[in-house]
Amino acid sequence: MNGTDRCDRREDRTDRDRSAARADGGRPLVAVVACGGTIASEPGDDGAAPEKSGADLVEAVPAVTDHARVTTREVCSQPGFDVRWKDVLATATAARDAVGEGPDDDSGDESDEGRADGVVVTHGTDTLADTAFALDLLTDLDAPVVVTGAQRRLDEPSSDVPANLALAVRAAADDRFAAGVHVAFDDELHAARDVVKGHSNALSTMTSPGAGPVATFTRAASRHLRTPERGVSVDPLADAVEDAAAVPEVPVIYSGTGVGAGALERALDAGVGGVVVEGTGLGNVTGALGDAIGEAVGSVPVVVAGRPPAGPTEPVYGTPGGAVTLAEHGVTFAGDLPAAKARVALALGLAAGLDRDGIEALFEPA
């Protein structure tokens, strides 16, 4: 065992030990930022919909106060499948304000409301991974930011709301997770860059293909499996993206058997800001789509991601649709980011006014 391994093992301390090590001997303060989703939903005649506030959730899960003092902030009450850019930007602002790192925070206020030690974002699972990665791009806070949700409402049998919310507060109260944004789900903590929703309704839906979780939790202890870190190397984009109207339309065009150039041509005719292409394998597309990409890159940025749930894009194959040819056309490759997150990165990068080098940096892990 090398020195790094020994150091990592020393970091695998129980939460009780960590709390006792705090200089003030007290419990940390965690701000819960509520955004709706299944975790906040109630059944209705027309189907379930978000109804509960953040305060309602905290009241319904008293176990959260075992780990921290908790305040709540309301951002929106949207289902996960209908989250808007304005909701994402407002969530980033709420997180920054909660820890006293907002752009206008110069009051020196250190009250409970102004200086949280960590942030929990409650969110619908359909786009939870998108929002978590967007927060990683938009912010770089000196406090843990942990996103969570639920697959089953509080009123449903074996609801995962209590366990996931308590886990998220527990992680947000632990400053070892201050680097980067994380997702807390089913006793695991995942990095925002890596996590995806892997199952439509399983409680263990959040997974990180090819990477695995950052940490796992039991009742008494947490174990670090890898070093928490921010998933991108760019400066935070929040100050450069102040208005949701500035975020351009960025469609995802899919390659596959028999795909032609029509979808890309229609997107360009619609005046999109950029395009993400989900290629196959290592980032290859059909010849017809490859030719169309070659014509498109002169007018809009084109980012090529791969279809497999794990592994990078990599120029290996020639022919009109091979990634070697696409590289010669001047596309940006998404690396190990799936198309959904590549879309988030490109849209926010364009809204922030990044040049080509800045756009390419979005797809390079820290």
Side-chain angles (χ1 to χ4, degrees), residues 224-242:
H224 280 211
L225 303 179
R226 52 196 178 100
T227 302
E229 60 183 352
R230 186 164 175 252
V232 290
S233 57
V234 299
D235 291 335
L237 302 179
D239 288 336
V241 188
E242 298 179 353

Side-chain angles (χ1 to χ4, degrees), residues 30-42:
V30 170
V32 173
V33 175
C35 298
T38 296
I39 192 171
S41 289
E42 295 181 354

